[in-house]
Amino acid sequence: MSGTLRRGVMRLQHRIVAAIDATDVSRARFVAKVLAGRVDALKVNWPLVLAAGPDIVREFADSAYVLCDFKIADIPNTNRLIVEQALARGASGIICHAFAGEDSVRACVEAAQGAEVFVVTEMSHPGGQEFTAKHAEEFARLAVRAGAAGIIAPATRPERLRILRGLVGDRLILSPGVGAQGGKPADAIRAGADAVIVGRALYEASDPAVAAKAIAAEIQAR
Ligand code: 3DU
């Protein structure tokens, strides 16, 4: 895969993280290739890892910042083992849940050895309001205390994003829920997100490059 995506610290140029959740592996590879240079990171989640095998992380990581969205939520030792496996395949960032507790999040941060850990706060879908919203502020404070690089917070609720921004200082906020879930990229960035996470609106687009360009333009025009 060619392109200008880099491993290491996420560099926010386009302010877009592409969620490559396509389970048609050749489509996923194609979309990743097309989006290289047009987004700041490729996010890999269980659908693609289960379809393609974990070495898809290594493949993308050759030329991209790969964010492993494994939503890690286990005891500290298991969290550490998962993070080590992701890093061994070249992941630059990982996503964990906060609800398993501070020791579990700290285990991710320690095992990450400088790779970036992002902690889920309030989830973007309607069900995210049932439980995660009630604890999102605690989750955000926990993320800061544990030394996470940032949090995941909902583009579908900019008013909640704004509150969470107030709690995490200059830590990164990556914001899913744009496009298929109804959130607007410019609203999320205005409310304090550093970048939006976009899946279906990119990988299902007839031309993912054009779709990414439109999102970037919307962000720039905010
Ligand atoms: O809805 P989309 O197709 O744009 O995909 C959003 C991606 O972000 C997808 O991988 C999903 O698992 C992830 N995500 C959320 O959508 C909401 C969250 O609160 C956390 C992660």
Side-chain angles (χ1 to χ4, degrees):
M1 197 174 90
S2 66
T4 57
L5 294 171
R6 273 175 288 185
R7 280 193 63 194
V9 175
M10 193 180 293
R11 290 190 174 74
L12 297 166
Q13 186 186 350
H14 310 279
R15 309 186 77 160
I16 302 170
V17 172
I20 313 289
D21 294 333
T23 52
D24 172 339
V25 180
S26 56
R27 174 73 184 169
R29 286 195 175 105
F30 168 77
V31 172
K33 189 173 174 190
V34 163
L35 291 180
R38 297 180 186 277
V39 299
D40 300 320
L42 302 178
K43 186 174 82 62
V44 173
N45 195 340
W46 291 113
L48 180 59
V49 167
L50 292 172
D55 283 339
I56 195 74
V57 173
R58 201 189 307 278
E59 204 180 305
F60 288 177
D62 277 347
S63 52
Y65 179 115
V66 177
L67 176 58
C68 282
D69 183 4
F70 295 159
K71 299 225 173 49
I72 306 170
D74 214 311
I75 60 169
N77 187 59
T78 307
N79 281 6
R80 173 179 65 79
L81 294 170
I82 296 168
V83 171
E84 285 171 1
Q85 288 302 310
L87 291 190
R89 288 173 174 79
S92 290
I94 64 114
I95 297 178
C96 70
H97 268 300
F99 65 76
E102 188 158 340
D103 54 353
S104 291
V105 173
R106 283 189 184 276
C108 291
V109 173
E110 278 159 28
Q113 297 183 29
E116 296 183 305
V117 174
F118 295 88
V119 178
V120 177
T121 58
E122 176 171 333
M123 296 191 76
S124 58
H125 64 312
Q129 291 181 287
E130 280 176 52
F131 301 107
T132 61
K134 292 174 186 157
H135 298 280
E137 283 95 332
E138 289 169 83
F139 292 163
R141 288 193 195 96
L142 185 161
V144 172
R145 275 201 310 276
I151 62 168
I152 309 293
T156 45
R157 288 177 222 109
E159 72 287 0
R160 295 288 300 149
L161 246 179
R162 200 164 274 117
I163 289 167
L164 294 167
R165 165 51 75 200
L167 298 175
V168 299
D170 59 4
R171 310 276 163 150
L172 292 179
I173 299 184
L174 306 181
S175 193
V178 161
Q181 297 182 52
K184 302 272 179 273
D187 290 350
I189 300 291
R190 261 199 303 269
D194 294 290
V196 291
I197 296 175
V198 191
R200 285 162 286 182
L202 288 176
Y203 70 79
E204 289 179 350
S206 55
D207 187 335
V210 169
K213 208 171 158 188
I215 292 167
E218 218 179 306
I219 288 172
Q220 268 164 19
R222 75 189 182 281

